[in-house]
Amino acid sequence: MRERTKVLAREPSTPWWRKNRTLKQGQPGTIALLLGPYFLLFLFFIVIPVGVAILLSFTYFNSIEVPQASGIQNYIYLFTKDDVFVRYVLPNTLMFALVVGPLGYILQFLLAWELAHIQHIPRTIFALIFYSPSMTGATTMAVIWKVLFSGDQYGYLNSLLMRNGWIQAPVQWITDPKYLMGIMLFVSVWSSMGVGFLSMLSGILNVDQQLYEAGYIDGVSSRFQEIVYITVPAMKPQMLFGAVMSIVSAFSAGAIGVQLAGANPTPQYAGQTMISHIEDHGFIQYNMGYASALSVILMLLMFMSSQIAEYFFGTDD
Amino acid sequence: MTRDLNSLPARLLCGVLVWFYIVTVGLPIPLKISAEAENNHHEVVDEEVNVDPLEGTTDEEADMTETAEDADDTEQDGTTEPILASTFIETTYVDLLQDLRADSASGDEITEYSVDETIDSYEIFEYPVDIPESGSYHLAFTYELPGSDIAELKVDVLINNQSPYPEAANIALPVAWEFTSGEPKIDRYGNQTYPISQRLDGLYTHHLGFDMFQLHEPLYFPFEAGMQTITIMNQEMPFHLKTIALVPPSAYRLTADSPDLGGSYEGSPLLIMEGETPSKKSHAHIRGERTKNIHYQPYDSKETLINVLSGSTWQTPGEWVSYTFDVPESAYYRIGLRYLQTMKQDMPVFRSIKVNGEYPDESWLSYPVPYTSNRVSTHWLQQDDREFSIFLEAGANEISFMTTAEPFFEPYHRLLGVIQRMNLLALDIKTITGNKVDIYRDWMIEEFIPDITVQIEQLVSDLDQVYEELVSISGGQEVSQWTNLKITRDRIHAYTVDRRNDRGLDRLVNNLDIFAQGDGSMAEQLALALQEMLDQPLDIDQVYLAGDDLDGLPTSPNIVQGLGMNFDKLISSFTYENPNLEIKEDELNIWVQRPVTFIDVLREMLEQDFADSDLKINLSAMPDENRLLMSIIAGEAPDVALGVTTGRPYDFALRGAAYDLRNFSDFPEISQHFTAEMFLPFAFEDGLYALPETATFFVLFYREDIMRHLGLDIPRTWDELIDILPSLDRQGLNVQTMIASTDAFKHFGTTVPLIQQFGGEVYREDGLGVAFDHPRTIQAFEFLTDLYIRYNLPHRIANFYISFKSGLTPIGVADLGSYVLLKHAAPEINGQWGIAPNFGLINEEGEFISTQPDITSGSIILEQSEKKEAAWEFLKWWMSPDVQLRYGQELQMRFGKEYVWATANLDALERVSYIDHKDREIIVEQVRTAREIPRHPAYFQVERELSNAWNTIVFDGTPVREALDRSALASNRIIEAKLQEFNYLDADGNVIEPLKMVTKEDIEEYGTFIDSSPRHYSEVLETLGEIEDGPLDLSDDGFFHHFKKTKAPTVNDDSMDHTEGEGS
């Protein structure tokens, strides 16, 4: 008893909140405190929604009534009975991902590489210009492109082609199934200079100049060799980041078709991708459980693609 | 530089094409031997038909050739002469005005006839008058109105049963309105509510005038001496006609005799009236606007007050407001306006300004109120650029401002003439070139229309003159408002200039739709200027009477004050209560999927009618229907949802989210106002889950002038339409069909009606699959696609309203929206169009079937609701005919005639004022006999597949049966899945419980409904005032005249096997 009062008396001027003022590395409390905000955000906005989606994908959920467990029914239906998915959605999505992903990725790298060679101020300006399409948001973009590809004679493209006598009657660019996919690809590639592009630009700028000098001494004779042997290996983390971002955006930018055509489903499913198919089932056909299964498949697709990217650009650590 | 670049590839391509053409076809054939070329063309067509032996259409093919030959015959006979301009353009008042004015009756004795008769709606009233002297007179009516109604008085005047000119129809007899007094009210969201208007009783005197411009000269009516008959046809509501006065023009006085003007106004007091509270006004819909503009008085940072007279509510000539000032002392006063005029860039707007009922000065007949840009300005009225003052006696003095477009009278008609001539020239060219233009041909158009260059030059010089007149009206300066005119003038002028590669006239011929008739063509661009000239918007904040002392005048806040006030506004916006989608526990929550204006009016009506009731109602706007779905999942659903699209109630019912309205014992009480068909989209199993709320209608619109000119009768049935198609096609004219109004997706409303008309079915009776193999369904679909393949109707007419106005599509099916647009926003074709029943068929019983689904929205009670009885009370109140009618009226009174409430309540629809009397019977009949589309758990897929089938048949040339088979297969797959989902089928496809496909007959047993059976064709013709040509052919061949010439397709078991075979 006496001893305890002694202890208290010894440090009377230090209130509890002033104790441990400095966070000490490695202490459990410190780790929890620093990780906490991120962990909470990650939990509530990523883990739980994804978890719920995965759970829902094993249920029958018609958007209104209480979900009922249905095992892997949704997945069976998806691969055996969903005609639209197999005939249109999957090919469209893969085509979209294969074209927009790699093409956008290569474009990102080339543009970043070229920008890295000019002075600081023009580089910033150009980078902003290239980056802005991805910022403007899909809807704004669709508005711009809708004017360009408008189906009447006043659409910019129709007007231009007609004025020069290339075509005689206006072409229904976005309602004709023949053209919709092409236009979707074009628009998506155009807007693919996103965060990945910025990271690559910074990656190229951060490559140690000494490496190039060493390269010259060792006999690098062209710019191409420089890229292949020095630039790319030196910026692998940024390349990986860019690749993952490209894949994710290629898979998830599929909604552009619905925005352009103004209807879900797109005319004769010509521009139907996973995203619009999910929306169709979730909100138009009231198959929320099935839509969840679709989104799980989409997630797996994305995951596998990024594994491929990892294989190419992954570093050991 | 750029042109060279542009033309280089074009030239290369041209070269290649010419080479290709010469190699494959031979040397270019000049147009002169076009008949031969046409024959060649037809041979090609015939061959194409022959290539397709599967269809077995030999008879039809013969028919095709026949039509083609017909066309050739007429061409060789030379009967397709270019249409003469003069036959199309009617003689109007404008053409006659000079003569009528010169022929004015002399003397200044006004002859007044005491009539004292009440003229009922649509009554034709004849009155004999004894005319002392031949010549033109003005007519003045004195009249009064019993009762209060929103409808305007409109009469047609005929002299000796003949209309003197088209403008003598629909002459307005104006009345006056006022706001009912009372404290301004603020609703729970801090908005001041719009006050209610009422009509002023009493005698009105009006000189019949030219309403479109509000010319200060009344109409001149030509009379012969002696006994003449004046016929008055009342086009609207009943009124009491006291006297008719015959006014010789010289006796008509405009300005006050000797106004006391120009005295010194020193020391006169300042009087202020708020613009938004006029003492009187001409129309119920003239009203103030609530704004958060800090420059208007009064202003409040928290509450949104009505603080300015909304310019757009009185921009049409003839609309006026007046302000009564209580003048304290007799003195000279200036008149001032604090206003905003931003709509007409750099242009003045015009007002006729009267003081105590008389114009003080002739220059005030059309006073130009200058442009203000974005700054609220104060303007002191002037008299011929001099300072103005007028002596006013103490007491009440009235100042009135009437919208007028008089200065635009001449340029308007000159421009209208230009547009009409452009359209006619386009028609003439199309008559010569045919509908499809071969652009690689050198048109020698001058050989057919020798004066074409002169015509174009005349157009250009007329446009120049119009532009000059407009510039002088705007005070001699070039204004941006009319740039469009100038650009169009240059574009037309370019047709007279040959460029290096192409002749100007060939450009005209090859791209005719850019010149006229196309969507957004030059003629259409010019027509925009017409409306522009008529509209004269002016926002008035305050009106002043003042002397030299202006101390009490409000000033616009300066920058610092403005910043402060705007900051205040920002702060108060944080506490602003959002009227969207909140749920209040102790109130009846109603979500409405409609614009806020509609909800405001409903809220006010609720406050009046439910003031004494215990029921508290909370109305919210629902901007996105998916929110309703989310709220149901979250358990936060409202009790009632209004304006729900037609698919939702069924979807909700299927999943147990909507409440069956048949549970209420007094359901028949409300159902008696509807037909059983109207409930069909909302019927699931034994329940009905929504009340039909709004309905549109589909009727046939036709241009009387064009059809008369072509000598064509209005088609009633599909085969009559097909009979006139060659005549229309020869003139390059189109027909609008419902399918042409949609984009790539052809929704149910465009595909199913024809199937239903033909007697086909969409679903099998047991609901386990689609009935695309029903012989009638196949027939219907063959016809639906033939219209666009064989008969070449346009696939897409994006804007029927414009196409119809320009005359390019003189006939077509369209809905309520087009009706309202054409009635209110197409002054140039006023009185030249009419409506008729939708295209239809005559069935075996001789009934006329012209059905379309009409219901556009419904109102539902949610299953989650705990106040279902209260919700039902509300719905009963809401959907009762009187409330529906009143709601429509209130909307129009506040926001103008264009605000149409399209009620589905048939008993209300029969009385609504937005439908003209002459159209009423046709429209009500159309809605009464409408057939709705039954719902099915997988209807969305069936809808898509029907659309896909149509697209593949028309665009890819897939045979009808093959396309339908494929669609049936795809639909049935989803149907099976959906039926399994809802436990109608087990996993192996065996029926657990049959799905009930509800029919109209089932619903009719649920209560009392309005009969919806179609009428006999002879009865239909009778109501249209027509007599049948001959006895109706009701034999087997007579049914579907179209297929008389073809082998009627029969369905046999083979095709069924085929279907199943392909599936496995």
Side-chain angles (χ1 to χ4, degrees):
Chain A
M1 200 57 178
R2 195 175 291 170
E3 256 186 22
R4 200 170 286 171
T5 35
K6 242 182 192 173
V7 172
L8 278 177
R10 227 188 286 158
E11 303 175 38
S13 59
T14 318
W16 62 269
W17 64 86
R18 303 196 73 173
K19 283 185 195 166
N20 280 337
R21 245 185 320 173
T22 50
L23 293 169
K24 293 201 179 94
Q25 215 174 1
Q27 279 189 2
T30 314
I31 294 169
L33 195 65
L34 287 177
L35 268 181
Y38 171 78
F39 177 76
L40 285 179
L41 287 175
F42 187 72
L43 183 73
F44 283 109
F45 290 98
I46 309 283
V47 177
I48 293 180
V50 171
V52 168
I54 293 172
L55 280 182
L56 280 180
S57 77
F58 295 103
T59 64
Y60 161 72
F61 180 34
N62 65 19
S63 317
I64 292 175
E65 289 166 316
V66 181
Q68 291 159 3
S70 69
I72 54 166
Q73 273 302 320
N74 286 329
Y75 293 93
I76 294 174
Y77 182 85
L78 200 158
F79 288 111
T80 57
K81 281 191 174 172
D82 193 346
D83 193 33
V84 175
F85 176 75
V86 179
R87 268 173 64 190
Y88 303 102
V89 176
L90 202 59
N92 281 350
T93 310
L94 289 180
M95 158 111 140
F96 203 78
L98 287 180
V99 174
V100 176
L103 196 64
Y105 185 58
I106 293 166
L107 266 178
Q108 280 176 21
F109 178 76
L110 287 181
L111 273 173
W113 184 75
E114 280 180 22
L115 278 189
H117 288 79
I118 57 177
Q119 291 98 327
H120 180 72
I121 291 173
R123 182 171 64 226
T124 317
I125 294 169
F126 276 111
L128 195 66
I129 291 172
F130 286 127
Y131 179 62
S132 60
S134 71
M135 281 194 301
T136 47
T139 315
T140 330
M141 213 165 61
V143 172
I144 299 168
W145 293 107
K146 265 189 164 172
V147 181
L148 192 73
F149 292 113
S150 171
D152 57 24
Q153 68 205 40
Y154 301 101
Y156 292 162
L157 186 60
N158 274 333
S159 175
L160 190 77
L161 292 176
M162 282 171 79
R163 198 173 300 168
N164 286 304
W166 297 96
I167 57 171
Q168 285 319 310
V171 176
Q172 300 292 324
W173 296 112
I174 44 181
T175 49
D176 192 325
K178 274 192 296 237
Y179 304 111
L180 183 62
M181 194 65 193
I183 289 168
M184 283 167 63
L185 293 175
F186 179 77
V187 172
S188 303
V189 170
W190 174 77
S191 61
S192 59
M193 304 298 133
V195 190
F197 162 73
L198 290 186
S199 82
M200 281 199 219
L201 182 58
S202 63
I204 294 171
L205 290 173
N206 277 337
V207 175
D208 194 342
Q209 289 302 316
Q210 291 178 11
L211 289 176
Y212 291 113
E213 284 160 20
Y216 297 143
I217 294 166
D218 289 347
V220 167
S221 59
S222 71
R223 278 292 165 98
F224 182 72
Q225 286 182 340
E226 199 182 290
I227 292 174
V228 173
Y229 294 114
I230 302 171
T231 315
V232 173
M235 53 175 284
K236 265 190 173 180
Q238 287 87 355
M239 291 297 278
L240 177 64
F241 179 73
V244 173
M245 292 307 288
S246 269
I247 290 157
V248 170
S249 69
F251 275 113
S252 58
I256 187 88
V258 172
Q259 280 157 7
L260 282 171
N264 195 1
T266 48
Q268 286 166 51
Y269 300 112
Q272 203 75 356
T273 57
M274 286 294 270
I275 295 287
S276 35
H277 198 52
I278 290 170
E279 204 181 282
D280 182 14
H281 274 280
F283 290 105
I284 299 173
Q285 307 188 11
Y286 298 87
N287 294 332
M288 206 56 104
Y290 184 64
S292 305
L294 280 170
S295 52
V296 170
I297 296 294
L298 179 64
M299 192 176 76
L300 288 179
L301 274 176
M302 286 185 189
F303 178 72
M304 286 186 318
S305 311
S306 40
Q307 282 309 108
I308 296 171
E310 182 89 45
Y311 172 78
F312 283 114
F313 299 110
T315 45
D316 295 330
D317 42 79
Chain B
M1 177 67 191
T2 42
R3 240 191 66 196
D4 285 347
L5 275 178
N6 279 344
S7 59
L8 185 66
R11 278 159 65 191
L12 281 174
L13 186 75
C14 280
V16 171
L17 283 173
V18 166
W19 171 80
F20 185 72
Y21 191 78
I22 292 171
V23 166
T24 51
V25 182
L27 285 169
I29 306 157
L31 186 69
K32 278 178 210 163
I33 43 169
S34 64
E36 211 181 297
E38 293 286 301
N39 275 334
N40 287 341
H41 174 67
H42 285 129
E43 273 165 31
V44 174
V45 172
D46 292 348
E47 274 166 26
E48 274 172 16
V49 176
N50 280 331
V51 171
D52 194 359
L54 287 174
E55 286 289 278
T57 54
T58 42
D59 294 298
E60 202 151 72
E61 171 199 322
D63 185 36
M64 259 306 274
T65 337
E66 221 174 87
T67 329
E69 274 165 12
D70 281 354
D72 283 352
D73 285 348
T74 44
E75 239 168 75
Q76 277 149 13
D77 294 347
T79 42
T80 49
E81 282 170 12
I83 295 162
L84 296 175
S86 54
T87 58
F88 248 130
I89 299 179
E90 274 184 283
T91 317
T92 61
Y93 181 66
V94 184
D95 308 317
L96 298 170
L97 184 58
Q98 289 294 339
D99 293 343
L100 287 171
R101 209 181 268 154
D103 200 27
S104 294
S106 59
D108 41 31
E109 188 116 334
I110 299 175
T111 331
E112 197 161 350
Y113 302 91
S114 178
V115 183
D116 216 12
E117 289 266 1
T118 297
I119 306 179
D120 267 329
S121 292
Y122 321 114
E123 188 187 328
I124 297 171
F125 175 78
E126 292 189 349
Y127 192 78
V129 288
D130 190 15
I131 308 290
E133 184 200 334
S134 294
S136 4
Y137 292 85
H138 299 319
L139 285 178
F141 287 2
T142 308
Y143 49 94
E144 62 186 350
L145 284 90
S148 179
D149 200 323
I150 170 89
E152 286 163 43
L153 281 183
K154 283 214 168 124
V155 292
D156 295 1
V157 174
L158 285 78
I159 297 164
N160 293 333
N161 277 323
Q162 270 192 329
S163 175
Y165 33 77
E167 284 79 1
N170 278 321
I171 304 172
L173 296 179
V175 294
W177 292 73
E178 65 177 1
F179 287 120
T180 51
S181 48
E183 278 301 296
K185 275 188 286 186
I186 306 285
D187 70 10
R188 69 161 91 170
Y189 306 110
N191 296 323
Q192 187 176 351
T193 56
Y194 292 113
I196 294 165
S197 304
Q198 67 182 26
R199 202 176 54 222
L200 290 164
D201 293 332
L203 271 183
Y204 296 97
T205 302
H206 179 64
H207 291 78
L208 304 188
F210 196 163
D211 300 321
M212 198 167 165
F213 294 88
Q214 200 58 36
L215 294 189
H216 66 262
E217 256 180 330
L219 289 172
Y220 289 87
F221 289 92
F223 283 101
E224 300 284 329
M227 286 306 286
Q228 309 277 325
T229 317
I230 296 178
T231 309
I232 299 165
M233 293 160 73
N234 186 0
Q235 293 296 342
E236 288 280 351
M237 50 191 284
F239 68 100
H240 188 80
L241 187 63
K242 278 270 189 204
T243 65
I244 297 175
L246 215 58
V247 184
S250 48
Y252 181 69
R253 223 162 38 95
L254 272 172
T255 48
D257 278 339
S258 51
D260 191 355
L261 305 177
S264 160
Y265 46 75
E266 208 169 304
S268 303
L270 171 69
L271 305 170
I272 299 177
M273 288 275 289
E274 289 295 335
E276 63 276 13
T277 54
S279 325
K280 286 187 209 163
K281 53 180 188 163
S282 61
H283 290 82
H285 62 248
I286 298 175
R287 61 178 170 89
E289 183 77 71
R290 45 182 184 226
T291 71
K292 281 268 189 186
N293 188 333
I294 55 173
H295 299 284
Y296 286 140
Q297 318 289 331
Y299 168 79
D300 190 285
S301 65
K302 288 181 190 64
E303 289 163 352
T304 315
L305 301 178
I306 300 173
N307 50 14
V308 61
L309 183 70
S310 163
S312 57
T313 62
W314 66 306
Q315 60 179 353
T316 311
E319 291 169 336
W320 54 266
V321 291
S322 78
Y323 301 90
T324 306
F325 285 88
D326 196 11
V327 175
E329 53 183 272
S330 303
Y332 285 93
Y333 289 91
R334 297 195 281 168
I335 302 173
L337 277 180
R338 186 177 154 83
Y339 70 105
L340 194 66
Q341 196 274 97
T342 53
M343 301 295 282
K344 307 271 249 184
Q345 194 103 59
D346 298 327
M347 285 281 295
V349 295
F350 293 90
R351 290 291 182 275
S352 299
I353 304 169
K354 287 186 195 175
V355 178
N356 291 326
E358 280 169 329
Y359 298 103
D361 184 76
E362 271 204 22
S363 67
W364 282 26
L365 290 170
S366 49
Y367 186 93
V369 184
Y371 174 67
T372 55
S373 76
N374 279 325
R375 235 188 139 63
V376 183
S377 316
T378 304
H379 174 78
W380 296 99
L381 298 186
Q382 296 177 324
Q383 176 192 4
D384 298 331
D385 299 331
R386 280 180 290 115
E387 211 160 51
F388 169 87
S389 68
I390 186 167
F391 186 78
L392 297 176
E393 297 282 349
N397 281 279
E398 189 187 34
I399 298 167
S400 76
F401 301 86
M402 182 191 273
T403 310
T404 177
E406 184 155 18
F408 296 102
F409 183 65
E410 283 193 13
Y412 182 94
H413 284 96
R414 189 161 287 120
L415 186 59
L416 188 64
V418 169
I419 295 166
Q420 282 173 338
R421 274 170 10 232
M422 284 171 76
N423 282 327
L424 292 171
L425 183 60
L427 266 185
D428 287 352
I429 294 173
K430 267 211 170 155
T431 315
I432 290 156
T433 61
N435 211 357
K436 294 232 164 100
V437 174
D438 174 4
I439 65 127
Y440 300 113
R441 195 179 253 182
D442 282 333
W443 298 102
M444 281 167 266
I445 199 77
E446 300 96 317
E447 295 193 7
F448 297 86
I449 310 174
D451 62 340
I452 184 164
T453 322
V454 183
Q455 281 194 39
I456 293 175
E457 275 164 3
Q458 184 63 40
L459 291 176
V460 172
S461 76
D462 275 9
L463 280 177
D464 281 338
Q465 201 178 338
V466 171
Y467 188 73
E468 265 166 42
E469 283 166 342
L470 289 176
V471 165
S472 83
I473 289 168
S474 352
Q477 53 178 348
E478 304 238 333
V479 294
S480 50
Q481 191 81 26
W482 311 112
T483 329
N484 222 349
L485 268 184
K486 223 177 164 185
I487 294 170
T488 312
R489 176 234 174 255
D490 290 343
R491 288 171 70 192
I492 295 175
H493 184 67
Y495 287 134
T496 60
V497 182
D498 292 347
R499 287 199 200 134
R500 199 160 8 135
N501 299 313
D502 50 359
R503 300 182 56 231
L505 288 174
D506 281 345
R507 274 204 308 278
L508 170 63
V509 176
N510 289 336
N511 299 304
L512 205 53
D513 53 342
I514 293 180
F515 177 66
Q517 298 191 330
D519 191 3
S521 65
M522 295 183 199
E524 190 57 42
Q525 293 289 328
L526 291 178
L528 290 179
L530 290 181
Q531 194 61 43
E532 200 83 8
M533 290 186 210
L534 291 180
D535 292 345
Q536 307 285 324
L538 176 66
D539 294 330
I540 295 185
D541 181 25
Q542 288 181 325
V543 184
Y544 309 120
L545 282 184
D548 55 345
D549 181 18
L550 298 178
D551 272 354
L553 222 54
T555 49
S556 280
N558 62 31
I559 294 176
V560 179
Q561 285 168 325
L563 270 178
M565 287 165 97
N566 275 323
F567 185 71
D568 228 25
K569 197 154 84 180
L570 179 75
I571 296 295
S572 64
S573 74
F574 289 120
T575 53
Y576 174 69
E577 199 180 350
N578 187 2
N580 282 351
L581 304 183
E582 45 174 357
I583 295 291
K584 293 199 171 144
E585 277 301 314
D586 50 343
E587 296 185 17
L588 183 70
N589 295 290
I590 301 173
W591 287 6
V592 189
Q593 186 174 240
R594 295 221 165 78
V596 181
T597 41
F598 283 78
I599 296 169
D600 280 346
V601 176
L602 178 56
R603 182 175 293 129
E604 279 168 38
M605 279 175 64
L606 281 171
E607 272 165 21
Q608 286 166 23
D609 286 24
F610 285 78
D612 309 327
S613 154
D614 300 334
L615 192 59
K616 283 220 155 151
I617 293 177
N618 170 33
L619 272 183
S620 306
M622 175 167 66
D624 176 11
E625 216 173 17
N626 273 334
R627 293 285 291 271
L628 190 58
L629 185 67
M630 311 264 193
S631 74
I632 294 170
I633 306 173
E636 287 272 301
D639 300 297
V640 178
L642 303 183
V644 180
T645 50
T646 46
R648 295 278 165 171
Y650 185 91
D651 288 334
F652 285 173
L654 187 62
R655 295 164 180 86
Y659 186 68
D660 181 5
L661 302 183
R662 285 188 63 210
N663 290 336
F664 300 108
S665 58
D666 49 355
F667 174 75
E669 236 172 72
I670 203 86
S671 76
Q672 61 180 344
H673 304 300
F674 304 92
T675 67
E677 278 288 342
M678 290 177 171
F679 283 94
L680 199 59
F682 310 134
F684 169 65
E685 295 288 318
D686 291 329
L688 299 177
Y689 290 86
L691 287 182
E693 199 177 2
T694 57
T696 178
F697 53 77
F698 294 90
V699 289
L700 184 65
F701 292 75
Y702 60 91
R703 284 284 295 270
E704 245 165 50
D705 48 351
I706 296 179
M707 297 301 274
R708 197 175 55 227
H709 176 81
L710 297 175
L712 298 174
D713 289 334
I714 310 305
R716 306 283 176 226
T717 57
W718 286 106
D719 15 301
E720 280 176 20
L721 169 70
I722 286 164
D723 288 344
I724 67 162
L725 280 182
S727 313
L728 291 174
D729 200 42
R730 219 167 292 151
Q731 307 286 351
L733 301 176
N734 290 333
V735 179
Q736 163 85 339
T737 47
M738 278 321 290
I739 227 165
S741 66
T742 54
D743 277 325
F745 181 57
K746 311 294 176 194
H747 59 85
F748 261 165
T750 61
T751 49
V752 173
L754 212 69
I755 295 176
Q756 290 181 332
Q757 288 182 14
F758 271 65
E761 294 290 339
V762 181
Y763 304 105
R764 292 213 316 248
E765 249 172 67
D766 55 7
L768 299 181
V770 287
F772 292 171
D773 48 3
H774 191 292
R776 293 278 170 81
T777 307
I778 297 176
Q779 267 185 344
F781 223 76
E782 269 181 356
F783 182 70
L784 185 64
T785 45
D786 262 6
L787 279 175
Y788 305 91
I789 304 171
R790 199 148 286 157
Y791 301 109
N792 205 16
L793 291 187
H795 303 142
R796 179 98 179 92
I797 296 178
N799 197 331
F800 172 66
Y801 158 70
I802 285 173
S803 190
F804 187 73
K805 270 204 310 185
S806 71
L808 184 61
T809 307
I811 184 163
V813 179
D815 65 354
L816 167 74
S818 302
Y819 183 75
V820 174
L821 265 179
L822 287 170
K823 238 182 93 176
H824 296 293
E828 63 265 48
I829 56 163
N830 202 357
Q832 292 177 5
W833 58 276
I835 64 163
N838 192 1
F839 295 127
L841 289 167
I842 302 158
N843 70 4
E844 285 99 333
E845 283 83 40
E847 290 164 341
F848 184 60
I849 315 286
S850 65
T851 57
Q852 278 274 359
D854 283 348
I855 296 297
T856 48
S857 73
S859 26
I860 57 174
I861 298 178
L862 279 300
E863 178 68 40
Q864 289 180 8
S865 165
E866 284 161 9
K867 308 181 201 78
K868 293 198 182 75
E869 285 299 326
W872 178 241
E873 283 308 308
F874 165 79
L875 274 191
K876 273 198 302 188
W877 170 84
W878 169 234
M879 282 320 294
S880 65
D882 290 338
V883 172
Q884 286 289 301
L885 212 57
R886 210 174 97 212
Y887 184 65
Q889 278 192 3
E890 296 271 328
L891 269 177
Q892 287 196 319
M893 259 194 230
R894 282 187 177 78
F895 306 112
K897 294 237 141 202
E898 302 84 349
Y899 268 71
V900 161
W901 175 246
T903 179
N905 187 318
L906 259 183
D907 289 329
L909 187 74
E910 278 176 356
R911 292 190 279 154
V912 292
S913 62
Y914 63 83
I915 301 175
D916 279 349
H917 174 68
K918 60 178 169 30
D919 305 331
R920 192 170 303 251
E921 191 167 356
I922 294 173
I923 290 173
V924 171
E925 180 64 15
Q926 199 73 53
V927 177
R928 187 184 69 81
T929 56
R931 277 191 69 184
E932 299 298 324
I933 301 160
R935 296 279 161 180
H936 186 277
Y939 72 88
F940 56 90
Q941 189 68 22
V942 179
E943 187 170 18
R944 285 174 198 181
E945 289 303 333
L946 271 184
S947 166
N948 284 349
W950 191 90
N951 281 328
T952 50
I953 294 168
V954 172
F955 293 118
D956 309 341
T958 317
V960 173
R961 279 159 186 247
E962 193 189 321
L964 281 180
D965 274 353
R966 243 189 263 157
S967 290
L969 211 70
S971 306
N972 287 343
R973 194 177 293 129
I974 303 294
I975 286 177
E976 196 188 333
K978 276 285 162 187
L979 291 182
Q980 282 168 352
E981 177 185 339
F982 292 104
N983 291 325
Y984 290 102
L985 295 179
D986 64 17
D988 304 323
N990 301 314
V991 180
I992 300 171
E993 178 196 351
L995 171 72
K996 183 172 173 187
M997 288 303 288
V998 186
T999 61
K1000 172 189 146 192
E1001 284 73 24
D1002 296 332
I1003 296 175
E1004 268 167 352
E1005 283 171 18
Y1006 299 163
T1008 4
F1009 296 93
I1010 293 171
D1011 175 43
S1012 67
S1013 52
R1015 289 188 301 187
H1016 202 272
Y1017 188 50
S1018 55
E1019 240 179 285
V1020 175
L1021 288 184
E1022 204 176 296
T1023 54
L1024 293 170
E1026 278 180 24
I1027 304 152
E1028 290 167 45
D1029 300 334
L1032 212 55
D1033 184 9
L1034 294 180
S1035 59
D1036 282 348
D1037 296 337
F1039 184 51
F1040 311 140
H1041 171 76
H1042 164 68
F1043 289 98
K1044 202 156 58 177
K1045 298 162 195 158
T1046 61
K1047 267 187 282 173
T1050 47
V1051 174
N1052 48 31
D1053 297 321
D1054 297 351
S1055 69
M1056 294 287 290
D1057 291 346
H1058 176 64
T1059 314
E1060 281 163 19
E1062 203 176 285
S1064 58

